Amino acid sequence: MSTQIWQKELLRSIRSLTELKAQLTVDLPYPVNTNFPIKITPLYFSLINKNNPYDPLLLQVISPKVDALSDFSEAPLKELEFNPLPGLLHKYAGRVLVMLTGACMIHCQYCFRQHFSYQDQSISKLHWQNIINYIKNDVSIFEVILSGGDPLVANNNMLKKTIDSLANIAHLTTVRIHTRVPSVLPNRIDNGLLEIFSQSKLKIILVTHINHPNELCDENMAKIDLLSKKTTLLNQSVLLHKVNDNYDTLAQLSKQLIQGNIMPYYLHQLDPVSGAEFYNVSDTKACEIHQQLVSQLPGYMVPKLVREIPDRKSKSALT
Ligand code: SF4
């Protein structure tokens, strides 16, 4: 199979702090965490203000070093307790999550899976058959969530095979895909992918992970427009210190999402993962910001403020 435009673009990603510093026009006035490797797509980098070390997009892909916090750990969600088969998580009623790939288009330094051992979860042919059998044997499961990593790193051939084999399970109605692709590598939204979505008999819900309005530009909004004609679009943001922890930014984000037919869905409190301490926002501040959104925006523009608690079988609302 020939290399696609998006794959060539991905090869031009920034992959190290040295490379990044060489392309910024300002020195970074803080030390940077280097545990989780840097990876920044060309489109995302083009949206960063190269002269601002506190640019809200830059701060998502490098994390200033701060002191460790005692309640932060490498596995904040204890996902391995809900891992009946390699590549499969089953925690919530009616839904299972499949980790299609461990790779991502971009590395978000607040990522709760930054220490996750994806090697132990890689899905061989046999594992995939076991996952299909697991879903077939539990008629309460109606939705499969494709996650990762970023599931849209998989090529169209693999995605089609995956979605087609899920569509053969009678009690499944929905495939949900969590991805940063629409904002960070919009060229991945090619005709082949749109065709897979429009031809599937399963309902396709795509959850974009967009944290700041500056992540949206004409190029990715055009692809989001195409996606909105084939899928239901929701957005999930993480509340991040110095990135989006204020009313103005989140209100603007909600307005732009609605323009792109994306429903603001969740505003997530950070999962307390080691290495992401810089991004921590107190619950008090989170609730204050959320209250401002509630009081000043129409309801459909206000995402739910939630956090994930490892042993709870649903997300927990903070307000
Ligand atoms: S794209 Fe998602 S899984 Fe990948 S690093 Fe970012 S938050 Fe983590």
CSV table of all heavy atoms in Angstrom, one decimal, residues 36 102-114 118 147-150 178-180 209, ligand 1:
chain,number,residue,atom,x,y,z
A,36,PHE,N,8.1,11.6,28.9
A,36,PHE,CA,7.2,11.2,27.9
A,36,PHE,C,7.7,11.9,26.6
A,36,PHE,O,7.7,13.2,26.5
A,36,PHE,CB,5.8,11.7,28.2
A,36,PHE,CG,4.7,11.2,27.3
A,36,PHE,CD1,4.8,9.9,26.7
A,36,PHE,CD2,3.5,11.9,27.1
A,36,PHE,CE1,3.8,9.4,25.9
A,36,PHE,CE2,2.5,11.4,26.2
A,36,PHE,CZ,2.6,10.2,25.7
A,102,GLY,N,-1.2,1.5,20.2
A,102,GLY,CA,-0.6,2.3,21.3
A,102,GLY,C,0.0,3.6,20.8
A,102,GLY,O,0.4,4.4,21.6
A,103,ALA,N,-0.1,3.8,19.5
A,103,ALA,CA,0.5,5.0,18.9
A,103,ALA,C,-0.4,6.1,18.8
A,103,ALA,O,-1.6,6.0,18.8
A,103,ALA,CB,1.0,4.6,17.5
A,104,CYS,N,0.1,7.3,18.8
A,104,CYS,CA,-0.7,8.6,18.7
A,104,CYS,C,0.0,9.5,17.7
A,104,CYS,O,1.1,9.4,17.4
A,104,CYS,CB,-0.6,9.3,20.0
A,104,CYS,SG,-1.5,8.4,21.3
A,105,MET,N,-0.8,10.4,17.1
A,105,MET,CA,-0.3,11.4,16.2
A,105,MET,C,0.5,12.4,16.9
A,105,MET,O,1.4,13.0,16.3
A,105,MET,CB,-1.5,12.1,15.5
A,105,MET,CG,-2.4,11.1,14.7
A,105,MET,SD,-1.6,10.2,13.4
A,105,MET,CE,-3.0,9.5,12.6
A,106,ILE,N,0.1,12.7,18.1
A,106,ILE,CA,0.8,13.8,18.9
A,106,ILE,C,0.9,13.2,20.3
A,106,ILE,O,0.2,12.3,20.7
A,106,ILE,CB,-0.2,15.0,18.9
A,106,ILE,CG1,0.5,16.3,19.4
A,106,ILE,CG2,-1.5,14.8,19.6
A,106,ILE,CD1,-0.2,17.5,19.1
A,107,HIS,N,1.9,13.7,21.1
A,107,HIS,CA,2.0,13.3,22.5
A,107,HIS,C,1.5,14.5,23.4
A,107,HIS,O,2.2,15.5,23.4
A,107,HIS,CB,3.4,12.9,22.8
A,107,HIS,CG,3.7,11.5,22.3
A,107,HIS,ND1,5.0,11.0,22.4
A,107,HIS,CD2,3.0,10.6,21.7
A,107,HIS,CE1,5.0,9.8,21.8
A,107,HIS,NE2,3.8,9.5,21.4
A,108,CYS,N,0.4,14.2,24.1
A,108,CYS,CA,-0.1,15.2,25.0
A,108,CYS,C,0.5,14.9,26.4
A,108,CYS,O,0.4,13.8,26.9
A,108,CYS,CB,-1.6,15.1,25.1
A,108,CYS,SG,-2.4,14.7,23.5
A,109,GLN,N,1.2,15.9,26.9
A,109,GLN,CA,2.0,15.7,28.1
A,109,GLN,C,1.1,15.4,29.4
A,109,GLN,O,1.7,15.0,30.4
A,109,GLN,CB,3.0,16.8,28.4
A,109,GLN,CG,4.0,16.9,27.2
A,109,GLN,CD,5.0,15.7,27.2
A,109,GLN,OE1,5.4,15.2,28.2
A,109,GLN,NE2,5.4,15.3,26.0
A,110,TYR,N,-0.2,15.6,29.3
A,110,TYR,CA,-1.1,15.4,30.4
A,110,TYR,C,-1.7,14.0,30.3
A,110,TYR,O,-2.5,13.6,31.1
A,110,TYR,CB,-2.2,16.4,30.5
A,110,TYR,CG,-2.9,16.6,29.2
A,110,TYR,CD1,-3.9,15.7,28.8
A,110,TYR,CD2,-2.5,17.5,28.2
A,110,TYR,CE1,-4.6,15.8,27.6
A,110,TYR,CE2,-3.1,17.6,27.0
A,110,TYR,CZ,-4.2,16.7,26.7
A,110,TYR,OH,-4.8,16.8,25.5
A,111,CYS,N,-1.3,13.2,29.3
A,111,CYS,CA,-2.0,12.0,29.0
A,111,CYS,C,-1.9,11.0,30.1
A,111,CYS,O,-0.9,10.6,30.6
A,111,CYS,CB,-1.3,11.3,27.8
A,111,CYS,SG,-2.0,9.7,27.3
A,112,PHE,N,-3.1,10.4,30.5
A,112,PHE,CA,-3.2,9.5,31.6
A,112,PHE,C,-2.6,8.1,31.3
A,112,PHE,O,-2.3,7.3,32.2
A,112,PHE,CB,-4.6,9.4,32.2
A,112,PHE,CG,-5.5,8.6,31.3
A,112,PHE,CD1,-5.7,7.2,31.5
A,112,PHE,CD2,-6.2,9.2,30.3
A,112,PHE,CE1,-6.6,6.5,30.7
A,112,PHE,CE2,-7.1,8.5,29.5
A,112,PHE,CZ,-7.3,7.2,29.7
A,113,ARG,N,-2.4,7.9,30.0
A,113,ARG,CA,-1.8,6.6,29.6
A,113,ARG,C,-0.3,6.7,29.2
A,113,ARG,O,0.3,5.9,28.6
A,113,ARG,CB,-2.5,5.9,28.5
A,113,ARG,CG,-3.9,5.4,28.8
A,113,ARG,CD,-4.4,4.3,27.9
A,113,ARG,NE,-5.7,3.9,28.3
A,113,ARG,CZ,-6.8,4.1,27.6
A,113,ARG,NH1,-6.7,4.6,26.4
A,113,ARG,NH2,-8.0,3.7,28.0
A,114,GLN,N,0.4,7.8,29.7
A,114,GLN,CA,1.8,8.0,29.3
A,114,GLN,C,2.7,7.0,29.9
A,114,GLN,O,3.8,6.8,29.3
A,114,GLN,CB,2.2,9.4,29.6
A,114,GLN,CG,2.2,9.8,31.1
A,114,GLN,CD,2.6,11.3,31.2
A,114,GLN,OE1,3.8,11.6,31.3
A,114,GLN,NE2,1.6,12.2,31.2
A,118,TYR,N,1.7,-0.6,26.5
A,118,TYR,CA,0.9,-1.0,25.4
A,118,TYR,C,1.4,-2.3,24.8
A,118,TYR,O,0.6,-3.0,24.2
A,118,TYR,CB,0.9,0.1,24.3
A,118,TYR,CG,0.1,1.3,24.6
A,118,TYR,CD1,0.7,2.5,25.0
A,118,TYR,CD2,-1.3,1.3,24.6
A,118,TYR,CE1,-0.1,3.7,25.2
A,118,TYR,CE2,-2.1,2.4,24.8
A,118,TYR,CZ,-1.5,3.6,25.2
A,118,TYR,OH,-2.2,4.7,25.5
A,147,SER,N,-10.2,3.1,21.1
A,147,SER,CA,-9.3,4.0,21.8
A,147,SER,C,-7.9,3.6,21.5
A,147,SER,O,-7.5,2.9,20.6
A,147,SER,CB,-9.6,4.0,23.3
A,147,SER,OG,-8.8,4.8,24.1
A,148,GLY,N,-6.9,4.1,22.3
A,148,GLY,CA,-5.5,3.8,22.1
A,148,GLY,C,-4.7,4.3,23.3
A,148,GLY,O,-5.2,4.1,24.4
A,149,GLY,N,-3.7,4.9,22.9
A,149,GLY,CA,-3.3,5.5,21.6
A,149,GLY,C,-4.5,6.2,20.9
A,149,GLY,O,-5.5,6.5,21.5
A,150,ASP,N,-4.2,6.5,19.7
A,150,ASP,CA,-5.3,7.1,18.8
A,150,ASP,C,-5.7,6.1,17.8
A,150,ASP,O,-4.9,5.7,16.9
A,150,ASP,CB,-4.7,8.4,18.2
A,150,ASP,CG,-5.8,9.2,17.6
A,150,ASP,OD1,-6.7,8.6,16.9
A,150,ASP,OD2,-5.8,10.5,17.8
A,178,HIS,N,-12.5,7.7,20.0
A,178,HIS,CA,-11.9,8.8,20.7
A,178,HIS,C,-10.6,9.2,20.0
A,178,HIS,O,-9.7,8.3,19.8
A,178,HIS,CB,-11.6,8.5,22.1
A,178,HIS,CG,-12.8,8.6,23.0
A,178,HIS,ND1,-13.0,9.6,23.9
A,178,HIS,CD2,-13.9,7.8,23.0
A,178,HIS,CE1,-14.2,9.5,24.5
A,178,HIS,NE2,-14.8,8.4,24.0
A,179,THR,N,-10.5,10.4,19.5
A,179,THR,CA,-9.3,10.8,18.7
A,179,THR,C,-8.9,12.3,18.8
A,179,THR,O,-9.8,13.1,18.9
A,179,THR,CB,-9.6,10.4,17.2
A,179,THR,OG1,-8.5,10.8,16.4
A,179,THR,CG2,-10.9,11.1,16.7
A,180,ARG,N,-7.6,12.5,18.6
A,180,ARG,CA,-7.2,13.9,18.4
A,180,ARG,C,-7.0,14.3,17.0
A,180,ARG,O,-6.6,15.4,16.6
A,180,ARG,CB,-5.9,14.2,19.2
A,180,ARG,CG,-6.1,14.2,20.7
A,180,ARG,CD,-5.1,15.2,21.4
A,180,ARG,NE,-5.5,16.6,21.2
A,180,ARG,CZ,-4.8,17.6,21.7
A,180,ARG,NH1,-3.7,17.5,22.4
A,180,ARG,NH2,-5.3,18.9,21.5
A,209,HIS,N,-10.8,15.4,20.8
A,209,HIS,CA,-10.2,15.8,22.1
A,209,HIS,C,-9.5,17.2,21.8
A,209,HIS,O,-8.4,17.2,21.4
A,209,HIS,CB,-9.2,14.8,22.6
A,209,HIS,CG,-9.8,13.6,23.1
A,209,HIS,ND1,-9.2,12.8,24.0
A,209,HIS,CD2,-11.0,12.9,22.8
A,209,HIS,CE1,-10.0,11.7,24.3
A,209,HIS,NE2,-11.1,11.8,23.6
B,1,SF4,S1,-3.7,11.5,21.8
B,1,SF4,FE1,-4.8,10.7,23.5
B,1,SF4,S2,-3.8,8.8,24.0
B,1,SF4,FE2,-2.4,9.9,22.7
B,1,SF4,S3,-1.0,11.1,24.0
B,1,SF4,FE3,-2.8,12.4,23.5
B,1,SF4,S4,-4.2,12.1,25.2
B,1,SF4,FE4,-2.7,10.4,25.2
